[in-house]
Amino acid sequence: NKPRNLSWIDLSFNHLEEVPTVLSSYANLNVIYLHANRIRKLSTAQCLVDLPKLRSLTLHGNPCEQTNKNYRLLVTGMFTHIKTLDFTTITSIDREKADGFYA
């Protein structure tokens, strides 16, 4: 039995090496904290892109932040519906830059 209405989860500081794909099955998640882990490949976060209610995501403090020169643009472009990334509001200017980066 999994909690159907899980809306918030904090998996920070857990030594995770990738984003757990099981998170994509929780359609009501709107906050996911994954900061300060060992996530190297930003691409593993792709499994979360289709979560319809996701509004806030943290990935800072992971190796993927350091190895991706345009980390914030990449994540903002990947997650077109989130409102905050790493506890910082995504502004319309951030969105424009991310859109330009992906164009």
Side-chain angles (χ1 to χ4, degrees):
N1 274 345
K2 66 180 183 180
R4 286 187 220 159
N5 294 320
L6 184 67
S7 64
W8 182 88
I9 192 164
D10 185 347
L11 294 174
S12 58
F13 299 97
N14 274 291
H15 306 288
L16 298 174
E17 294 185 3
E18 58 187 34
V19 175
T21 56
V22 70
L23 293 177
S24 65
S25 66
Y26 294 95
N28 288 313
L29 275 173
N30 55 71
V31 176
I32 302 175
Y33 292 163
L34 290 165
H35 57 278
N37 277 292
R38 296 178 179 167
I39 300 167
R40 294 188 185 289
K41 294 183 180 179
L42 195 53
S43 60
T44 68
Q46 189 70 38
C47 65
L48 306 177
V49 166
D50 292 327
L51 286 172
K53 297 182 180 179
L54 186 62
R55 295 295 174 260
S56 182
L57 176 67
T58 65
L59 286 166
H60 65 282
N62 281 289
C64 64
E65 180 186 21
Q66 302 303 316
T67 58
N68 288 288
K69 180 182 172 189
N70 295 302
Y71 161 79
R72 189 164 175 85
L73 287 174
L74 286 167
V75 178
T76 302
M78 265 173 71
F79 293 90
T80 57
H81 54 286
I82 63 172
K83 304 294 181 198
T84 63
L85 173 63
D86 300 333
F87 302 116
T88 303
T89 299
I90 296 172
T91 66
S92 57
I93 293 170
D94 293 332
R95 285 275 172 225
E96 286 175 24
K97 287 181 182 177
D99 290 348
F101 185 72
Y102 275 91

